[in-house]
């Protein structure tokens, strides 16, 4: 029974020295002098703010993408003991001693370093020679732009790492033989593909492009599996379910989990939560939660409420009125009703309070027991301070002449009767008998007489309206827009019968205690929608560029300039590598078209296995370049050179593929092969020369003289910074 103890336990480990050496070289190139410069470098000023908010557990929304990448950067800060106390307000600002610069930059640098061995292994899995794979890895290693981008607290290197990991994992999964189906390694690489895709999308939505490419590739491969007559229907269904689980269900579940961790960590109110709904804000510690804690849940006749517009654009605001009236005549000559102004005011104010009144009764207090307002009920909204009724009529709004003016009615004893009845429509109701709820219910107010809907137009009133936002009665009310939807944010049950007592009551805190916790899925859905729809105003940036500028690298970005010397860091690529990548893509396209035409004529220039290898490699590399580059032509956002780096990485992988193909199939004599090899050596020497030449502006040291800086300006469009003497 214990016979196995008679022999020693032997563990055999195979070490690929190429991978080990490349990994070491990648680590040296990315980690060397990582804490230099000890100052804020370009977009560190942007991402650093989010790291600080994570450290302080303060909620934020970033419209640039999902939270996983931010959490990885925050992890670096956490491991370094960062307390979040640093003012991220200026590029070039010196870091204080409490900021662990090396730790904050570590994870992007590690990701950038690991891209080097990943490139090597991808070409090996594509069935190309180790020499070609080594060439791909060295090109990634010596690419100045990738080095620069990976040495700072930025996300592109992390994105590229997960993209390459997803591609490598899928290729390893695909290359396993049939007898390895459903084995441990088969499952490992398939599952890792889905996990890496999810992480790529979780870092930046740009990762979605590669995810779609791999899903398409997997779909094409599975189409061939369907044609395998040796597989039973049960086995075929198992293959389908395994791919669906690993490539769709698990990535989606992981993506949602990123938000779960994000929302769990950020439970405190902060400056960004104002763009969220009242229900979301009330779920955060502090802020609105302190104000709304203990409010009654059901709105009843006699309730005192503040009404927040759900749209939140151009800014969050509340239905508001004050004693001032509309001008008798506007500047354009149109007349008004001269009634009391009703606006949407972007600040908390006692004039934001309204009383929900039963039209059939005179009392402005809640009865005992309270009579809740339900969907479809008719109400009057009485302004709490002035006690005038919310009204609209067939008079043009001040800035939106096609809509009706909304006012608080003043009786001037003229032929303009009050029209102050409103029907409550709960937009997010579950049934037609739903009760109007504080924070949770989103409601429309439909004017009974004219069927106009109370709406925020978003226009800013002139000086006579104190620049507050215009509120109108929208006649065209087919469907609904968020500007027509309101929710009760602050709420109390009114008890005071006298107006003076009521004014005191409006200033007092609420008493009752009802919890309004949102479910995670409700918060996830709202936050995801905000990320997708919230767009900051894109302004022209000094270093912004167009997608066309990237191919020929007609642009650069100055990341950092030393405050006293000429030392500086630029996002600049290796000119030889970028040009070679473009040439390789052109050669691949032309050769592929030539082969296709010839094959159509039944002329086969290369063996079938070489053709399949050529097509599959192009599908991954040229396809990866296309899906990560072409979508930018349809994007309406400020673009920068670093957006091109994922596409560039795929294009660089194509260079050794084309070179090996030319050597193996087009150089048919020994002489030609020798000449081509010598040409490759000379070309690669030029790649290394350019890398060394631009290293001072890649790493930021040593400081160069004015003459040396001018010599680096190989293109007139490059902005190399030269101090005035």
């Amino acid at each position: 029974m214990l016979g196995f103890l008679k022999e020693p336990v032997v563990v055999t480990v195979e070490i690929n020295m190429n991978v080990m050496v490349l990994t070491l070289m990648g680590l040296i190139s990315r980690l060397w002098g990582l804490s230099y410069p000890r100052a804020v470098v370009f977009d560190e000023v942007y991402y650093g703010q989010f790291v600080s908010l994570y450290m302080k557990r303060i909620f934020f929304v970033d419209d640039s993408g999902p939270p996983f990448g931010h959490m990885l950067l925050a992890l670096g800060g956490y491991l370094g003991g960062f307390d979040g106390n640093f003012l991220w307000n200026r590029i070039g600002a010196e870091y204080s001693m409490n900021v662990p610069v090396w730790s904050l930059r570590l994870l992007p640098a590690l990701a950038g370093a690991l891209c080097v061995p990943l490139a090597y292994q991808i070409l090996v899995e594509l069935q190309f020679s180790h020499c070609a794979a080594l060439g791909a890895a060295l090109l990634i290693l010596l690419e100045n732009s990738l080095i620069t981008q990976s040495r700072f607290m930025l996300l592109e290197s992390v994105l590229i790492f997960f993209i390459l990991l997803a591609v490598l994992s899928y290729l390893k999964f695909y290359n396993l033989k049939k007898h390895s189906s459903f084995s441990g390694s088969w499952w490992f690489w398939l599952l890792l593909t889905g996990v890496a895709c999810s992480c790529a999308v979780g870092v930046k939505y740009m990762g979605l492009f590669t995810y779609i490419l791999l899903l398409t590739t997997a779909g094409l491969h599975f189409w061939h599996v369907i044609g395998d007559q040796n597989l039973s229907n049960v086995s075929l269904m198992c293959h389908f379910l395994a791919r669906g689980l690993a490539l769709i269900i698990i990535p989606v579940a992981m993506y949602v989990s990123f938000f779960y961790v994000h929302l769990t960590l950020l439970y405190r109110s902060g400056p960004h939560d104002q763009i969220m709904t009242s229900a979301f804000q009330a779920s955060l510690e502090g802020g609105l939660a302190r104000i709304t804690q203990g409010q009654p849940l059901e709105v009843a006749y006699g309730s005192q409420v503040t009404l927040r517009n759900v749209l939140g654009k151009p800014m969050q605001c509340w239905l508001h009125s004050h004693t001032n009236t509309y001008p008798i005549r506007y500047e354009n000559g149109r007349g008004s009703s001269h009634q009391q102004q009703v606006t949407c005011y972007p600040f908390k104010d006692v004039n934001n309070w309204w009383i929900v009144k039963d039209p059939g009764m005179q009392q402005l207090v809640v009865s005992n027991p309270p009579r809740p307002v339900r969907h479809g009920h008719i109400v009057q909204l009485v302004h709490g301070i002035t006690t005038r009724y919310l009204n609209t009529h067939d008079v043009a709004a001040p800035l939106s002449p096609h809509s009706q003016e909304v006012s608080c009615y003043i009786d001037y004893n003229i032929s303009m009767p009050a029209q102050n009845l409103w029907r409550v429509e709960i937009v997010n109701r579950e049934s037609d008998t739903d009760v109007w709820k504080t924070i949770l219910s989103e409601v429309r107010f439909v004017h009974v007489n004219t069927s106009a809907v109370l709406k925020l137009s978003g226009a800013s009133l002139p000086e006579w309206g104190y620049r507050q936002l215009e509120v109108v009665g929208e006649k065209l009310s087919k469907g609904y827009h968020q500007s027509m939807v309101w929710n009760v944010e602050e709420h109390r049950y009114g008890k005071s019968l006298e107006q003076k007592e009521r004014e005191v009551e409006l200033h007092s805190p609420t008493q009752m205690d009802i919890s309004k916790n949102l479910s995670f899925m409700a918060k996830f859905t709202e936050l995801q929608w905000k990320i997708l729809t919230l767009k900051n105003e894109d302004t022209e940036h000094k270093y912004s560029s167009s997608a066309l500028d990237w191919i020929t690298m007609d642009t650069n970005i100055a990341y950092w300039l030393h405050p006293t010397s000429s030392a500086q860091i630029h996002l600049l690529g290796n000119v030889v590598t970028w040009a070679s990548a473009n040439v390789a893509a052109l050669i691949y396209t032309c050769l592929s078209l030539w082969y296709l035409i010839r094959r159509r004529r039944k002329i086969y220039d290369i063996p079938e296995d070489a053709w399949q290898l050529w097509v599959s490699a192009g599908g991954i590399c040229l396809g990866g370049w296309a899906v990560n580059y072409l979508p930018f032509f349809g994007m309406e956002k400020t673009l920068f050179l670093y957006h091109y780096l994922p596409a560039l990485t795929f294009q660089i992988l194509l260079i050794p593929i084309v070179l090996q193909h030319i050597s193996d199939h087009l150089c048919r004599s020994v002489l030609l092969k020798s000449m081509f090899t010598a040409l490759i050596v000379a070309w690669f020497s030029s790649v290394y020369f350019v890398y060394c030449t631009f290293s001072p502006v890649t790493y930021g040291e040593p400081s160069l003289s004015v003459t040396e800086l001018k010599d680096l300006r190989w293109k007139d469009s490059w902005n190399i910074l030269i101090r005035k003497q």
Side-chain angles (χ1 to χ4, degrees), residues 210-319:
T210 303
Y211 180 37
I212 293 173
L213 174 67
L214 289 179
L215 281 180
T216 304
T217 304
L220 291 173
H221 290 164
F222 184 69
W223 182 254
H224 294 297
V225 173
I226 294 176
D228 188 349
Q229 299 296 322
N230 295 321
L231 291 177
S232 66
N233 291 338
V234 173
S235 179
L236 194 62
M237 181 57 66
C238 289
H239 275 277
F240 175 77
L241 293 176
R243 286 163 172 80
L245 172 68
L247 300 181
I248 298 177
I249 295 177
I250 288 179
V252 171
M254 282 194 61
Y255 179 80
V256 174
S257 72
F258 297 151
F259 283 85
Y260 181 82
V261 176
H262 175 75
L263 292 170
T264 301
L265 292 173
L266 307 183
Y267 58 86
R268 291 176 179 155
S269 172
H272 291 184
D273 56 321
Q274 293 184 351
I275 65 174
M276 310 303 289
T277 63
S278 301
F280 195 105
Q281 292 184 52
S283 70
L284 299 172
E285 179 183 294
L288 183 62
R290 288 186 299 177
I291 299 173
T292 59
Q293 183 178 7
Q295 292 186 155
L297 178 61
E298 296 184 346
V299 178
Y301 291 109
S303 285
Q304 298 169 358
V305 299
T306 62
L307 294 165
R308 181 181 186 263
N309 190 265
V310 171
L311 179 64
K313 293 180 181 178
M315 62 190 74
Q316 64 164 356
C317 62
W318 293 264
L319 190 66

Side-chain angles (χ1 to χ4, degrees), residues 13 235 341 413 448 565 673 702:
V13 179
S235 179
Q341 296 175 19
N413 292 320
V448 173
S565 72
K673 285 183 180 291

Side-chain angles (χ1 to χ4, degrees), residues 439-505:
I439 292 181
L440 303 178
S441 294
E442 297 181 349
V443 302
R444 292 197 313 170
F445 296 101
V446 181
H447 192 237
V448 173
N449 298 77
T450 63
S451 297
V453 179
L454 189 69
K455 176 185 176 182
L456 169 67
S457 75
S460 192
L461 294 169
E463 290 295 337
W464 54 258
Y466 304 101
R467 301 295 179 186
Q468 295 174 20
L469 301 180
E470 181 191 43
V471 174
V472 301
E474 181 60 67
K475 298 176 183 178
L476 304 175
S477 58
K478 294 180 179 179
Y480 68 91
H481 186 265
Q482 283 189 320
S483 59
M484 301 177 180
V485 182
W486 307 78
N487 72 273
V488 172
E489 187 169 271
E490 297 178 66
H491 177 209
R492 63 168 59 85
Y493 282 164
K495 298 176 181 178
S496 302
L497 297 173
E498 298 297 327
Q499 177 60 17
K500 289 186 178 180
E501 295 176 359
R502 189 179 300 120
E503 290 183 15
V504 174
E505 185 178 40

Side-chain angles (χ1 to χ4, degrees), residues 18-19 21-23 25-26 29-30 112-123 130-143 146 652-653 656 684:
N18 284 356
V19 173
V21 171
L22 288 171
T23 302
M25 294 172 67
S29 68
R30 269 64 173 176
L114 293 176
C115 288
V116 177
L118 284 177
Y120 171 85
Q121 291 181 293
I122 285 174
L123 257 72
H130 287 273
C131 184
L134 188 63
L138 292 177
L139 288 174
I140 297 293
L141 176 72
L142 300 178
E143 174 49 45
L146 293 179
I652 289 175
L653 297 181
F684 199 86

Side-chain angles (χ1 to χ4, degrees), residues 326 330 334-339 391-398 400-407 416 450 473 475:
Y326 291 109
Y330 302 122
R334 289 193 297 109
S336 78
S337 66
H338 199 46
Q339 299 281 337
N391 184 84
T392 188
H393 39 214
D394 194 16
V395 175
S400 306
H402 297 293
S403 301
Q404 292 181 180
E405 175 194 86
V406 173
S407 62
M416 186 179 288
T450 63
K475 298 176 183 178

